[in-house]
Amino acid sequence: SSELTQDPAVSVALGQTVRITCQGDSLRTYYANWYQQKPGQAPVLVIYGKNNRPSGIPDRFSGSSSGDTASLTITGAQAEDEADYYCNSRDSSANHVVFGGGTKLTVL
Amino acid sequence: QITLKESGPTLVKPTQTLTLTCTFSGFSLSTSGVGVGWIRQPPGKALEWLAVINWNDDKRYRPSLKSRLTITKDASKNQVVLTMTNMDPVDTATYYCAHRVVSGWSYYFDYWGQGTLVTVSS
């Protein structure tokens, strides 16, 4: 199956905007989805599809895509946004699921 | 309200077979389009998709683990079972089950169980 590549770590100053990226061939066909995971907790879906937020997810989270790269943008990062973020999609063959390696977001 | 909960042993010995059960509520695995997946996470490492089973009993497996995995469902009991044979210490991980949605070009897990930590050690 294809792979999704994420930067291992990203930092952002409190209140500033940060973009977390995810790259992979499957993203040319399928949308990326984004999950937030805090220590000791299960992942939480924050963005799915083209740019949809599940109920309860703040509107400072948004998603976008161009070519083989998808992005999760947090506009006005808050301290509680410090977490690991994972992208996922179907793989290019549409038979399997792939996750990215995760990005650790630090809010300074 | 959709909920999922994983259950199974917390400790297995190398070469043994692991059997995990996902018990869910709030949806039916008999409904078209519905699926349940298993994802694991070794300590300090990334999420790793393992398998998914769909409402029509279609099953997909992680290619590298396909020979060791079996996923089944009992829709009447609202349960999905994952078995993994020949367990090894590298299989030590938190195992999650999750509700899977397919919508157009989207394929995502919108509800997750709390996860269960499985340690492989003699």
Side-chain angles (χ1 to χ4, degrees):
Chain A
S1 53
S2 64
E3 297 180 352
L4 297 177
T5 301
Q6 298 182 241
D7 291 328
V10 171
S11 61
V12 61
L14 184 67
Q16 296 303 300
T17 296
V18 62
R19 177 174 293 183
I20 298 170
T21 61
C22 173
Q23 184 178 23
D25 286 343
S26 63
L27 301 183
R28 296 183 183 278
T29 305
Y30 298 102
Y31 290 118
N33 312 293
W34 293 92
Y35 305 84
Q36 176 192 71
Q37 187 180 35
K38 297 181 179 179
Q41 298 183 17
V44 173
L45 180 70
V46 294
I47 291 289
Y48 65 96
K50 189 173 183 179
N51 181 19
N52 301 294
R53 283 176 289 107
S55 174
I57 301 301
D59 61 5
R60 63 179 179 271
F61 290 89
S62 64
S64 62
S65 183
S66 178
D68 69 349
T69 300
S71 300
L72 171 70
T73 299
I74 306 174
T75 303
Q78 301 299 302
E80 60 264 33
D81 299 334
E82 187 162 288
D84 293 327
Y85 290 86
Y86 293 92
C87 60
N88 103 288
S89 80
R90 238 169 164 166
D91 83 338
S92 300
S93 70
N95 286 329
H96 307 112
V97 177
V98 287
F99 279 90
T103 297
K104 182 177 182 59
L105 175 66
T106 300
V107 180
L108 303 172
Chain B
Q1 179 189 3
I2 290 176
T3 64
L4 306 98
K5 187 173 183 178
E6 306 86 354
S7 59
T10 58
L11 179 66
V12 297
K13 290 181 168 51
T15 75
Q16 287 187 336
T17 294
L18 171 68
T19 299
L20 294 173
T21 300
C22 175
T23 303
F24 57 85
S25 63
F27 67 94
S28 171
L29 201 38
S30 300
T31 301
S32 178
V34 174
V36 171
W38 285 93
I39 302 102
R40 72 179 179 181
Q41 185 173 38
K45 296 188 177 181
L47 299 172
E48 183 178 72
W49 171 74
L50 298 176
V52 67
I53 189 165
N54 296 307
W55 81 100
N56 59 359
D57 211 36
D58 177 63
K59 303 164 188 177
R60 306 287 172 170
Y61 298 100
R62 184 178 188 83
S64 60
L65 294 174
K66 186 175 181 179
S67 63
R68 299 174 54 205
L69 295 172
T70 302
I71 190 170
T72 60
K73 65 179 175 68
D74 187 332
S76 65
K77 291 183 178 180
N78 282 356
Q79 290 182 332
V80 170
V81 175
L82 180 75
T83 61
M84 181 180 291
T85 61
N86 195 25
M87 292 292 285
D88 183 271
V90 301
D91 297 313
T92 294
T94 296
Y95 287 75
Y96 298 99
C97 64
H99 176 263
R100 195 279 336 272
V101 175
V102 177
S103 177
W105 300 109
S106 300
Y107 188 102
Y108 55 92
F109 299 97
D110 57 350
Y111 293 92
W112 294 62
Q114 64 188 23
T116 184
L117 175 62
V118 178
T119 301
V120 184
S121 175
S122 55

